[in-house]
Amino acid sequence: MTQQTLIYYLSEHPTIVKFRWSHTESWGSTWSFLFTSISAYLLLALLLHLLLYYRRRPVPLGPIPALHSLFMALISLTIFTGILFSAAAEIRDTRWFWRRTKTTPFQWFLCFPLGTRPSGRVFFWSYIFYLTRFLHTFRTFFAILRRRNLSFFRLFNHSILILMSFLWLEFSQSFQILGILLTTSIYSVVYGYRFWTAIGLRSACFPFVINCQMVLLACNIVCHVGVLLLHLNKGGCNGIGAWGINSVLNVAILLLFLNFYVNSHLKQRRKKAALSPDHRDDVDGKANTVSAARETNRIGRSDYKDKNI
């Protein structure tokens, strides 16, 4: 496939160019669908957790989680490439207007002009990104079937991702292009890593997924500050109300994630303290028990460090 063909199918195809977010034409675009789907996700997760609560052994999933990770890595990479090409095409087509308003491409990435409508190339890929958030929730059910504890943070994070991506489209919210670029770039790496470890290859010697999430959260904070500054200095950014809700939700996710990160760090420190000379005899006496527990959780071991994504 040549570069021109790739550009055509990712940014110049009539379906992409003529896309319009509409409650009558776009699947999943109504508020009723949004709240119904999130409620169904929460109820199904809790019901499955209760049904398997007394089951001792994990449900065998075979290659399904690995295939899911591979698919999510590929679709994230496709969305990243598509919205990058589409943004370049939009910049090319509207540069004449930006010169009159003294707007740079970087400012447009952060701050849509007032009156922007959810139509065209970049909003097509924002819509695809919104739909993939539902595929992202499958990891919750994988975790339950593997007999891991169902955490509040996992349910909250997945639900908020769906809500925020819906708000991006519904209110033509500023910042969404950079948000999608950052998220899909990180997710393509994270899901690629999950596929790598799921097929039995060596994992990283540090919490790879958690570090990727920290990078993503830090970049989001910087971008949100940039949107606020442009909104105050340039007379307004489109969808600033939805941006405010988005910011509050991101802060909530950040606080919950930091709580999880700190607790994980404290557990690691306690394990190191348990390996001190005064405790070595006790640790050696429990070696067989620990080994058996590790073998039982071997299948889901790599997921222990990525509850948040």
Side-chain angles (χ1 to χ4, degrees):
M1 181 180 292
T2 64
Q3 181 179 356
Q4 292 299 325
T5 304
L6 185 65
I7 292 175
Y8 172 78
Y9 282 107
L10 292 180
S11 63
E12 301 295 343
H13 193 277
T15 303
I16 298 176
V17 176
K18 297 179 181 179
F19 172 79
R20 183 170 66 92
W21 170 259
S22 170
H23 291 175
T24 57
E25 299 177 5
S26 304
W27 184 83
S29 60
T30 62
W31 287 96
S32 59
F33 176 87
L34 174 69
F35 292 116
T36 301
S37 59
I38 293 177
S39 300
Y41 160 66
L42 296 175
L43 290 175
L44 286 175
L46 292 173
L47 179 61
L48 184 61
H49 178 68
L50 291 175
L51 290 175
L52 299 177
Y53 186 78
Y54 294 103
R55 183 184 175 91
R56 296 182 179 181
R57 296 182 178 180
V59 177
L61 297 177
I64 295 177
L67 294 176
H68 176 265
S69 295
L70 178 61
F71 176 77
M72 291 301 295
L74 294 176
I75 192 63
S76 296
L77 184 60
T78 302
I79 295 173
F80 174 85
T81 307
I83 199 169
L84 189 64
F85 286 164
S86 297
E90 292 291 341
I91 292 172
R92 179 199 63 208
D93 294 344
T94 57
R95 188 181 296 274
W96 61 272
F97 177 74
W98 292 355
R99 290 174 180 172
R100 295 174 56 185
T101 58
K102 297 181 180 180
T103 300
T104 65
F106 180 74
Q107 291 174 341
W108 178 71
F109 271 94
L110 285 173
C111 179
F112 285 155
L114 295 175
T116 300
R117 297 287 182 247
S119 61
R121 299 177 180 91
V122 296
F123 289 100
F124 170 83
W125 289 110
S126 181
Y127 177 60
I128 299 300
F129 179 82
Y130 163 64
L131 296 180
T132 60
R133 297 308 88 200
F134 295 99
L135 298 177
H136 185 63
T137 61
F138 286 5
R139 288 194 57 80
T140 300
F141 302 105
F142 294 159
I144 298 173
L145 293 172
R146 285 173 165 175
R147 294 298 300 126
R148 284 180 45 194
N149 292 329
L150 180 61
S151 66
F152 167 78
F153 183 74
R154 179 184 290 276
L155 295 175
F156 178 80
N157 187 45
H158 288 182
S159 301
I160 292 306
L161 284 173
I162 297 174
L163 174 61
M164 289 193 301
S165 57
F166 179 90
L167 294 178
W168 287 357
L169 288 159
E170 183 69 14
F171 297 101
S172 304
Q173 183 190 314
S174 298
F175 159 73
Q176 64 178 278
I177 296 179
L178 273 182
I180 294 173
L181 286 172
L182 290 171
T183 304
T184 52
S185 61
I186 293 295
Y187 275 24
S188 61
V189 174
V190 166
Y191 277 105
Y193 172 78
R194 284 174 175 157
F195 174 73
W196 176 273
T197 56
I199 61 177
L201 298 177
R202 185 176 180 180
S203 60
C205 59
F206 59 94
F208 181 83
V209 175
I210 291 180
N211 288 341
C212 287
Q213 180 73 345
M214 288 293 290
V215 171
L216 179 60
L217 289 173
C219 291
N220 278 335
I221 292 174
V222 173
C223 290
H224 275 283
V225 173
V227 172
L228 180 60
L229 294 177
L230 287 174
H231 176 71
L232 296 176
N233 294 329
K234 291 184 64 65
C237 296
N238 200 71
I240 198 63
W243 170 87
I245 297 174
N246 196 336
S247 300
V248 172
L249 296 176
N250 272 321
V251 169
I253 291 175
L254 177 62
L255 293 176
L256 289 172
F257 176 77
L258 290 176
N259 179 64
F260 163 75
Y261 187 83
V262 170
N263 289 336
S264 299
H265 182 69
L266 291 176
K267 288 180 180 178
Q268 291 178 357
R269 293 187 62 180
R270 290 171 183 170
K271 289 181 180 179
K272 291 181 179 179
L275 294 177
S276 61
D278 294 337
H279 296 82
R280 283 179 181 173
D281 293 338
D282 183 61
V283 171
D284 292 337
K286 298 179 180 179
N288 293 332
T289 304
V290 173
S291 299
R294 287 179 177 176
E295 180 64 21
T296 302
N297 296 318
R298 181 180 59 82
I299 298 177
R301 181 179 56 188
S302 60
D303 288 336
Y304 174 77
K305 300 176 182 178
D306 58 1
K307 293 181 180 179
N308 52 302
I309 295 185

